[in-house]
Amino acid sequence: MITVRDLHPWPSTEAEAEAVQRRLRPLVRVEEPAEIRTAAGLDVAYREDSDELVAAVTVLDVATLSVVDSAVVRDRARFPYVPGLFAFREAPPLLTALQRLAVTPDVLVCDGQGVAHPRRFGLACHLGLLTDLPSIGVGKTPMTRFDPPGEHRGDWTPLEVDGEEVGRALRTRTGVKPVFVSVGHRCTLQAACDLVLRLTPKYRLPETTRTADHLGRQST
């Protein structure tokens, strides 16, 4: 069973949330992960014109991309919609869903950012630290500047903050717009990109994200 560490109280204001991100950011570790056999996809779906949400987690066998476990949590958003602070809105129900899994995944693949974030502490960092599991962020849109990568699958260019590489714009399908990969916790950027390519044999987005998104939409 996944244990959630009590590293901070959940804030109620933007200023408090940003302070939590700055305090926790130095705790993020970049290291080569152990063998990755299972990967969890995490996604949150929202009901229209409501603060109701559904947090969905699927665990995939990386070799076959088949779903081996899943969990769904229905809840209400308890933090406003603020760019750069999505973790305070989405992490609590996602953590509850993770705790309901029977299979502990080797890595969390988050639909959002890791260190490719204005304060270097996106959703993937937050979830990785609180669970102490390896985690990566795979965003659909960037929060940092980048130059377009080449058109072929596997081509990439760096995402930069203040001249430092914090992630990569990675082309997962030839001729299709890239995804934006960064470290969350206990992983390296190269290992994160290698994993994303393994998880995208047919589509732009990883199968982890696609299955979690499908489960969440089914459950709304």
Side-chain angles (χ1 to χ4, degrees), residues 150-218:
E151 288 296 313
H152 295 96
R153 172 176 162 85
D155 289 343
W156 62 271
T157 52
L159 299 173
E160 296 184 347
V161 173
D162 298 329
E164 178 185 351
E165 183 183 48
V166 294
R168 291 177 182 172
L170 176 66
R171 194 85 66 180
T172 55
R173 305 300 301 160
T174 296
V176 175
K177 60 184 179 180
V179 296
F180 303 93
V181 182
S182 59
V183 171
H185 183 53
R186 295 183 56 197
C187 194
T188 65
L189 183 54
Q190 185 61 54
C193 290
D194 290 345
L195 177 62
V196 170
L197 290 173
R198 291 176 68 187
L199 295 172
T200 53
K202 296 181 180 180
Y203 301 102
R204 175 192 177 222
L205 296 178
E207 288 302 302
T208 40
T209 300
R210 284 168 44 79
T211 54
D213 175 77
H214 181 68
L215 177 61
R217 292 181 186 277
Q218 279 188 321

Side-chain angles (χ1 to χ4, degrees), residues 115-132:
V115 297
H117 178 277
R119 285 174 294 281
R120 317 284 179 89
F121 198 81
L123 175 65
C125 300
H126 214 136
L127 290 172
L129 269 180
L130 292 181
T131 60
D132 200 30

